[in-house]
Amino acid sequence: MDIKQNYFEFLGLPESYQLDKQALSERTRELQKTLHPDKFAHLADHERRLSVQYTAYLNEAVATLKSPLTRAQYLLSLKGEDTYSESSVQLDPMFLMQQMELREAVEDITDADDPDAAVEEMYAEVAEQKQVFQVEFQTLYDQADYPAAAITVRKMQFIYKLERDVEALEDKLYD
């Protein structure tokens, strides 16, 4: 095992945005069995520490690759593209205006005649936009247009944030 490998190499998976979730799950279980610190309890401190490091790296890799957003960010980081800082890419003003309108719509849900239906509508909008941006990212990444793919990831970040806002509102409505 080598934690200098990227997550895909570490897990023995192809470096791709399209991820076989079953293969990820199976490989994770295999590595968890192999690397579990209990298997190293009888060994020297160095081996036990390595086991803990490998397990932490495995957990970080799995968490990153499971999410389409963080997987896209990670893939671009491997290509030298920064998608983590907000100033790394400029977004289209029309997109930003649309996001403002969606945020206002989320705020208005509490006053809606049927908040449940409004929440479901917003989830449908979020799901649709996530799908569009994931397909767009895949296309741009496959074409090695990493700067454009970074812009798409930035848009995905807005959508995932919107989804978290809807989830928080839903929790508030049902508490």
Side-chain angles (χ1 to χ4, degrees), residues 57-84:
Y57 192 72
L58 172 63
N59 292 338
E60 184 180 317
V62 171
T64 299
L65 298 183
K66 269 188 174 180
S67 163
L69 173 61
T70 56
R71 184 170 58 249
Q73 289 175 307
Y74 183 71
L75 281 165
L76 287 177
S77 73
L78 294 175
K79 303 299 182 188
E81 290 290 332
D82 172 24
T83 60
Y84 296 99

Side-chain angles (χ1 to χ4, degrees), residues 15-19 68-69 71-72 75 134 137-138 141 156:
E15 190 175 305
S16 170
Y17 186 62
Q18 291 300 317
L19 186 70
L69 173 61
R71 184 170 58 249
L75 281 165
Q134 288 171 12
F137 175 82
Q138 178 71 61
Y141 184 81
M156 289 169 72

